[in-house]
Amino acid sequence: MTVSSASGSPTAGSPVPIGVTVNGTDHEFAAPLTVRELLERLELPCQGVALAVDGAVFPKSRWDEPVGRGWEIDVLTAVQGG
């Protein structure tokens, strides 16, 4: 995927958008961001949740790492019930 200017030609030096899926919804970001920043931008809680990336647990100790292109992220919350 390339970023194009209004003339339709690729813009030199422009970052390539980062596409990810969060809880089944596709999102695209123009600039790199960390997992924590992603949660903040999407107004998702950073407390009391667990993350899975591509089906594997993603520990909170790694939330300051950059989000990878094409990641499928699930934000999971604990629910009480009986």
Side-chain angles (χ1 to χ4, degrees):
M1 180 184 307
T2 60
V3 177
S4 298
S5 66
S7 65
S9 62
T11 305
S14 293
V16 176
I18 298 167
V20 297
T21 302
V22 180
N23 291 345
T25 302
D26 294 332
H27 298 275
E28 192 171 274
F29 299 94
L33 69 164
T34 66
V35 173
R36 192 176 311 277
E37 292 168 335
L38 170 85
L39 294 174
E40 291 170 0
R41 287 218 190 141
L42 297 179
E43 298 180 356
L44 294 168
C46 289
Q47 299 293 322
V49 297
L51 293 184
V53 175
D54 296 333
V57 174
F58 196 82
K60 199 166 197 168
S61 62
R62 296 184 58 197
W63 286 14
D64 291 318
E65 294 179 15
V67 171
R69 281 186 179 81
W71 280 8
E72 290 191 26
I73 302 170
D74 292 303
V75 181
L76 311 165
T77 56
V79 178
Q80 290 184 333

